[in-house]
Amino acid sequence: MSQSTSPVVADLDVQPLPGPFGAQVAGISLRETITAPLRAAIHTLLFRHRVLVWRDQPMDTADQVRFAQSVGSILVFSSVVDLDPARPGVHEVHGGSDDWHFDASSLPSPPVATMLRAVNVPPSGGDTLWASNVAAYEALTPELRELITSRYVTHGRGVQRPFEDERPVAAHRLVRRHPATGELYLYLNLASWDHPQILGMPLPDSDALIERLRAACLRPENHLRVRWSPDTLILWDNRLVQHRGVGDYGDFPRHLIRICLADLAP
C-alpha cells in the first residue's frame, strides 16, 4: 500500500513517518469519545500504515483502557511483564525487550494489535523499532515462498513455564494472509527466548531455513524507528510488523503501559 499521500480522514491529520511505513496522527484527543466512523477511520489507517503514533496525548491508564475498548476487545493474558491486578489486560512495562518479537504469539489466538503509552521515558535513547513482515515475505525468492507457504512454525517452544502451566506450544502458519488487506506476510517470532521449529522438517533443516527467513525479516531498509516522548501513544498491527526496544538508555526508569487487542471492534 502506498503512503506517499495520506488524506485527513474523519478529522484525523495523518502524516507519514520517515521510513517504509508508519504515520503520525493528530487532530483529536484520545480521551474523547471515539465514534463509530472515527473508529473505522482508525482501523483503516492502521491497516494502511501498520504503526500509528499519537503525540501530546495526556492521559491516565483509565483513559487508555477506554480508548483501547473503543478500538477493539482487550485481550487478558499472563505475560512476562507485570499485570495490573486492578485492570485486566493492562501490562506495566518497565524497561523493554531488545529482541525482535510479536506480542504473545505463543497464544492459540495472538493479539491482532498492541498499544503502548509512554509514562516515563528517557530524555534520549529507548526508541522502539518495527520490522515489516510483509516486506520480509516479498523479499523471498519464488522458490522459497513455495517451500514455506503450507508450513507451520512453533511459537513458544523455548519459553520456560511453571510445571502447573499446561498451555501447549502454539504452531501458526508461517505464511499468513491479512484478513483486511489481503497481504501475505511471514509470521516468525525472532526472540531469543523462542526457539521456532518448522513442523515436518528435521531440526537442522528447520534451523537453516529459519536463519534465511530471519535475514529477510531483519533487512534495515524495512524497519521503522520511533523516538518516545512524554504523552505518546503508539498503536500497531501485531500481525504485519514485529518490534523491539533499544536498550541504550542506561539506568533511566523507562515505563510504558501496554494493552493488547484480541480483535478490532466493528
Side-chain angles (χ1 to χ4, degrees):
M1 292 185 179
S2 171
Q3 57 173 35
S4 57
T5 302
S6 293
V8 173
V9 180
D11 298 326
L12 298 177
D13 180 11
V14 184
Q15 300 298 325
L17 293 170
F21 56 91
Q24 184 162 305
V25 187
I28 61 165
S29 167
L30 301 184
R31 299 176 64 183
E32 298 174 359
T33 300
I34 304 300
T35 63
L38 187 52
R39 176 172 59 246
I42 291 172
H43 291 174
T44 297
L45 291 171
L46 181 63
F47 300 148
R48 180 184 303 167
H49 296 285
R50 302 168 191 169
V51 177
L52 301 180
V53 179
W54 280 271
R55 302 284 189 187
D56 303 318
Q57 293 286 337
M59 56 198 310
D60 59 20
T61 301
D63 295 324
Q64 184 180 354
V65 167
R66 283 191 293 271
F67 176 61
Q69 290 172 330
S70 71
V71 175
S73 302
I74 294 177
L75 181 64
V76 179
F77 64 100
S78 60
S79 174
V80 295
V81 297
D82 296 333
L83 282 168
D84 181 344
R87 297 184 174 92
V90 175
H91 299 177
E92 302 276 348
V93 179
H94 295 280
S97 172
D98 287 346
D99 286 330
W100 288 103
H101 64 284
F102 294 101
D103 280 333
S105 66
S106 61
L107 295 176
S109 297
V112 302
T114 296
M115 65 171 60
L116 272 181
R117 176 175 61 90
V119 177
N120 193 24
V121 291
S124 62
D127 299 353
T128 298
L129 283 79
W130 287 265
S132 169
N133 281 63
V134 175
Y137 175 78
E138 292 174 347
L140 303 178
T141 64
E143 294 77 17
L144 193 51
R145 293 184 197 177
E146 183 176 1
L147 174 63
I148 65 174
T149 293
S150 60
R151 300 281 186 177
Y152 283 75
V153 65
T154 62
H155 291 247
R157 190 170 71 91
V159 177
Q160 292 186 351
R161 295 170 174 157
F163 180 78
E164 61 273 12
D165 188 340
E166 297 184 350
R167 288 176 298 169
V169 172
H172 300 294
R173 281 191 176 273
L174 185 52
V175 178
R176 306 178 75 184
R177 185 181 297 277
H178 194 282
T181 70
E183 295 168 292
L184 295 174
Y185 61 95
L186 284 179
Y187 197 59
L188 174 65
N189 198 352
L190 300 180
S192 61
W193 63 79
D194 204 340
H195 301 157
Q197 181 177 356
I198 300 173
L199 301 185
M201 297 184 71
L203 189 56
D205 294 344
S206 170
D207 288 344
L209 180 52
I210 284 171
E211 285 308 306
R212 295 178 67 185
L213 300 177
R214 177 188 296 271
C217 292
L218 299 185
R219 293 160 61 102
E221 61 268 29
N222 297 326
H223 295 173
L224 169 70
R225 184 173 186 137
V226 175
R227 173 163 292 180
W228 289 95
S229 58
D231 298 327
T232 294
L233 184 140
I234 302 179
L235 172 68
W236 69 89
D237 192 312
N238 192 53
R239 299 161 292 188
L240 296 180
V241 296
Q242 57 187 303
H243 66 287
R244 65 176 287 256
V246 181
D248 59 352
Y249 49 93
D251 296 328
F252 195 94
R254 182 178 185 265
H255 180 200
L256 305 118
I257 302 292
R258 183 184 74 179
I259 297 176
C260 292
L261 300 179
D263 55 41
L264 298 176

